[in-house]
Amino acid sequence: MNDTATRGRTTPSREAILDAASTLMSRHGYAATSISRISTACGLPASSIYWHFGSKEGVYLAVLQRARQALVAGLPGTVVPGADVPRRLTAFLSAVAEVFDRHPHDLRLLVGISMLEETACSAARAELADYRLALRRWLADSLGSVFGVPGTAAPAEDLAGFLLTIAGGASIARWFEDPDASLPVGDLHVALSALARSRGVLDDAR
């Protein structure tokens, strides 16, 4: 009965462990979150944690996977509504800000912070890399819809990279300075418009 398939199932005890580990790791990082701290936080013995996940690295990987799945599932579609570029950009940035505010712990884990953890296992680093690629693809496709260019075009990719960097910076601010930090939506509207104009995908007539 103690097999891999059984351990992978969603159970109340497994979810309780992940809830506790997610909170601890988002606040303190991977290295400072021990199995004993997770055990104390979730009220389950360390043996239960090892049974479900095998190791601390296994817990970390499961935490990242769950965070990625929650965030990706909550992303809006890449076809952005609006009659013109300014309205589409406003709608898109409002959606991004909502996602950012709805998943504070997940974003701390996924948007750049965990890449600072040199002790993280290779599987966890691969999970983070895959997540960032998926997020960048969503941003590029959405921004392509906003500005009327293919999401694979260089300007859309540039805009996505810029926005991902800003989101990472806001997550770092949440980590170190202000837990209530949010995305500077107004400034981003101006900056993305200016960047799009410099890339030749936005003019004053649009």
Side-chain angles (χ1 to χ4, degrees):
M1 188 171 179
N2 185 16
D3 55 61
T4 302
T6 301
R7 288 195 299 272
R9 291 175 186 166
T10 299
T11 63
S13 60
R14 187 177 192 276
E15 290 303 298
I17 293 165
L18 288 178
D19 287 343
S22 295
T23 299
L24 289 169
M25 288 178 176
S26 69
R27 290 177 180 170
H28 307 294
Y30 171 77
T33 301
S34 64
I35 291 292
S36 63
R37 291 186 75 173
I38 297 171
S39 175
T40 299
C42 69
L44 293 166
S47 59
S48 179
I49 298 172
Y50 285 116
W51 189 85
H52 281 291
F53 302 102
S55 65
K56 178 180 156 181
E57 289 182 348
V59 177
Y60 186 48
L61 181 59
V63 162
L64 292 177
Q65 289 171 337
R66 191 176 73 158
R68 174 181 56 79
Q69 290 164 3
L71 275 168
V72 171
L75 294 176
T78 56
V79 177
V80 182
D84 52 34
V85 169
R87 292 178 189 178
R88 290 195 296 272
L89 184 55
T90 296
F92 168 68
L93 288 174
S94 295
V96 172
E98 183 181 350
V99 171
F100 188 88
D101 290 336
R102 194 167 62 240
H103 298 277
H105 294 322
D106 296 341
L107 282 161
R108 288 179 191 177
L109 288 163
L110 288 166
V111 185
I113 298 297
S114 293
M115 294 304 291
L116 300 174
E117 300 287 357
E118 295 182 358
T119 52
C121 63
S122 58
R125 288 180 173 274
E127 177 70 22
L128 288 162
D130 288 346
Y131 168 75
R132 288 179 65 85
L133 284 174
L135 183 58
R136 184 167 181 143
R137 180 76 273 129
W138 174 76
L139 290 171
D141 289 342
S142 299
L143 286 163
S145 176
V146 168
F147 292 102
V149 298
T152 54
E157 295 283 1
D158 290 345
L159 292 168
F162 170 77
L163 184 51
L164 188 59
T165 298
I166 298 300
S171 293
I172 291 173
R174 276 186 171 180
W175 183 287
F176 291 108
E177 300 169 5
D178 179 6
D180 298 319
S182 60
L183 287 176
V185 172
D187 292 339
L188 281 172
H189 198 292
V190 173
L192 286 168
S193 297
L195 187 57
R197 190 171 288 108
S198 74
R199 296 296 189 272
V201 295
L202 179 64
D203 55 45
D204 292 335
R206 299 174 69 186

